[in-house]
């Protein structure tokens, strides 16, 4: 049931994001053509960092003060962070040059390849 909900939310989010990116509204308060997609994504990432940083401080302030922010972050976690960042950049490129249907196919193929490769690597 949760997977169905996630799939529906992801599909609606993809269609809405494509609509926002690819349409120009005449009553918009700012001219989107002045800003690139990458610039707007950096703005969104900055807001995410602020919100998640505030949440980390509220939830784990004592542990962060005692052990530091990067406690238990090792090479495997670094690879996961880099992989997530590259995945985000790939999604940005797909959104810029393709539509949400192609993004759906790309996501499905990436999930399949990740499952197949992880079965060989971690088995």
């Amino acid at each position: 049931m949760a997977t169905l909900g996630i799939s529906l939310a992801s599909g609606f989010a993809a269609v809405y994001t494509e609509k926002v990116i690819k349409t120009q509204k005449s009553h918009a308060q700012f001219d989107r053509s002045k800003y690139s997609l990458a610039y707007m994504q950096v703005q969104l990432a900055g807001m995410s960092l602020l919100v998640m940083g505030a949440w980390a401080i509220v939830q784990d302030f004592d542990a962060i003060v005692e052990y530091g922010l990067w406690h238990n972050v090792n090479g495997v976690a670094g690879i996961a962070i880099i992989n997530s960042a590259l995945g985000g950049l790939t999604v940005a490129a797909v959104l810029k040059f393709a539509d949400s249907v192609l993004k759906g196919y790309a996501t499905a193929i990436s999930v399949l390849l990740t499952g197949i490769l992880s079965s060989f690597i971690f088995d």
Side-chain angles (χ1 to χ4, degrees):
M1 191 63 146
T3 304
L4 180 62
I6 291 169
S7 298
L8 288 172
S10 175
F12 285 128
V15 171
Y16 179 73
T17 302
E18 183 179 350
K19 177 184 177 281
V20 168
I21 289 172
K22 294 189 177 179
T23 60
Q24 294 291 334
K25 295 181 181 177
S26 60
H27 60 279
Q29 296 197 6
F30 65 95
D31 185 13
R32 275 192 223 131
S33 64
K34 293 180 183 176
Y35 304 104
S36 69
L37 180 61
Y39 178 77
M40 289 189 280
Q41 286 185 330
V42 168
Q43 286 180 327
L44 288 171
M47 288 304 299
S48 298
L49 285 173
L50 287 175
V51 170
M52 294 306 294
W55 181 255
I57 289 172
V58 168
Q59 289 294 107
D60 298 322
F61 181 75
D62 294 332
I64 291 171
V65 168
E66 184 176 347
Y67 300 112
L69 186 61
W70 300 103
H71 180 69
N72 282 338
V73 176
N74 55 18
V76 175
I79 290 171
I81 291 167
I82 290 169
N83 185 36
S84 180
L86 291 175
L89 292 172
T90 304
V91 168
V94 168
L95 280 174
K96 184 173 182 178
F97 298 112
D99 58 0
S100 62
V101 174
L102 185 59
K103 179 185 163 274
Y105 285 127
T107 303
I109 291 170
S110 70
V111 168
L112 288 173
L113 287 176
T114 301
I116 292 168
L117 289 174
S118 66
S119 70
F120 287 120
I121 293 172
F122 299 114
D123 197 23

